[in-house]
Amino acid sequence: MVELPEVGTRVSLRYRLPAGSVPPMSDVVGHLREIGPTLRVQTKLGDEVTVSAADVVSVRPLSAAPVRNRDIRNLEHAAALGWPGVEQEWVGGWLLRFGHGSTRRANSAVPLLPTPGEHVDEIADWYATRGAPALLAVPDRLFGIPPGHPTDGENVVMARQLTEGVAAATAHVAPRPDDDWLRLHPRQVPVDVLTAVVDGVVAFGRAEDAAVGRVAVTVAPDGTRWAGLSSVHVAENARRRGLARSLCEALLGWAVDQGATRAYVQVLADNAPAKKLYESTGFGEHHRARYVSLG
């Protein structure tokens, strides 16, 4: 039996084809998504290849596929439009967002242009006039964090293709969160913050009166239509029943109907269960980001 690396590892896998095939073997490069009697490998294009474990000839772990700065910038641009707060303003290459102080994501400035520039004082003043702390949301490699400013809230930004492989799932999906959705979600986020989106569409899903989630579809500068999952929560007494996975697939199915071809989700780096959930639905790490306080 070939020794296998852990799920999520990028691998080069060689396997036997059915008897009589020419050539007799094939190869696939991608992220290992499932281990068991059948292995599942997701390629860079989002296709999934399933292989019987008995047919595996060799598995070689690979380093993570490189992500270009422009790829990070495009995803982050779509994500900022998908969670923009209720007020936005451009300062240099930064998009500043304000959302009544509810959630750090909706109340932080993110560098989205290739040369965002040094605008720390202007950003601090903009938030001060709104009675909010000045906070930067800094993705990998897009901005040098100023010395002496503390960072926290490291996020793993995960992504996947949507052109194929979205499982059929059922959930109640609506353009606004109803009273049941708001009751089930643990965070008291104002409805105008939840429903805000710039040049896109948003929907709210609810499954079995126990699981809720949000998805926003927005367009990156390169034209990619991204679907961003957020606010996913399952009631404690309904966990480990597959509701979160089913709900996410239903929301992504809705997003595909809106023209989305890729999806992302932002997960706290220390939230192992959430990362495992999204890996099981085809997401893999794209880049990381963290918050920087200017206070």
Side-chain angles (χ1 to χ4, degrees):
M1 178 68 179
V2 175
E3 184 175 352
L4 299 172
E6 65 181 18
V7 170
T9 303
R10 183 167 172 262
V11 299
S12 175
L13 186 148
R14 171 160 288 194
Y15 58 98
R16 285 183 289 270
L17 295 173
S21 298
V22 179
M25 291 185 287
S26 185
D27 299 276
V28 59
V29 173
H31 286 86
L32 193 59
R33 297 303 185 200
E34 184 177 322
I35 294 175
T38 299
L39 308 185
R40 181 163 57 90
V41 178
Q42 184 181 40
T43 70
K44 182 179 179 180
L45 296 179
D47 299 324
E48 292 193 347
V49 177
T50 57
V51 179
S52 170
D55 291 330
V56 175
V57 176
S58 64
V59 179
R60 180 165 58 91
L62 302 174
S63 60
V67 176
R68 298 169 296 186
N69 285 15
R70 66 183 180 185
D71 296 330
I72 296 174
R73 191 173 293 110
N74 274 299
L75 191 163
E76 287 287 341
H77 198 121
L81 300 183
W83 195 270
V86 297
E87 184 180 354
Q88 308 87 35
E89 185 173 330
W90 285 93
V91 173
W94 295 80
L95 179 64
L96 281 55
R97 302 168 290 177
F98 176 69
H100 308 308
S102 179
T103 79
R104 288 189 292 187
R105 195 180 311 173
N107 293 273
S108 53
V110 58
L112 296 179
L113 298 186
T115 52
E118 296 282 351
H119 297 279
V120 171
D121 291 341
E122 294 171 74
I123 292 171
D125 289 343
W126 192 86
Y127 282 102
T129 63
R130 289 156 180 80
L135 197 62
L136 308 181
V138 182
D140 285 346
R141 307 203 302 265
L142 297 192
F143 181 72
I145 297 173
H149 290 286
T151 69
D152 69 348
E154 182 178 7
N155 275 261
V156 179
V157 183
M158 308 176 76
R160 63 166 283 187
Q161 294 285 342
L162 287 181
T163 49
E164 295 179 0
V166 177
T170 302
H172 173 75
V173 179
R176 292 181 63 83
D178 59 18
D179 289 342
D180 288 332
W181 195 102
L182 294 171
R183 171 178 55 81
L184 288 165
H185 198 268
R187 300 187 68 180
Q188 301 301 309
V189 180
V191 172
D192 59 348
V193 174
L194 285 168
T195 57
V197 65
V198 175
D199 298 330
V201 289
V202 64
F204 298 82
R206 177 166 46 84
E208 295 188 20
D209 202 32
V212 292
R214 175 187 185 271
V215 65
V217 177
T218 51
V219 183
D222 66 354
T224 302
R225 292 183 71 83
W226 284 91
L229 290 173
S230 61
S231 302
V232 176
H233 176 74
V234 179
E236 189 170 352
N237 62 0
R239 292 176 182 172
R240 291 176 291 278
R241 288 167 40 194
L243 285 180
R245 178 175 179 140
S246 178
L247 175 66
C248 290
E249 292 291 0
L251 289 171
L252 293 178
W254 178 89
V256 168
D257 291 341
Q258 311 307 309
T261 58
R262 299 199 72 188
Y264 66 87
V265 64
Q266 296 157 302
V267 183
L268 284 172
D270 60 0
N271 191 342
K275 289 190 290 185
K276 185 176 180 179
L277 164 67
Y278 294 117
E279 286 172 351
S280 75
T281 59
F283 285 89
E285 183 170 334
H286 189 273
H287 66 278
R288 296 197 175 207
R290 56 206 43 83
Y291 291 100
V292 181
S293 174
L294 298 181

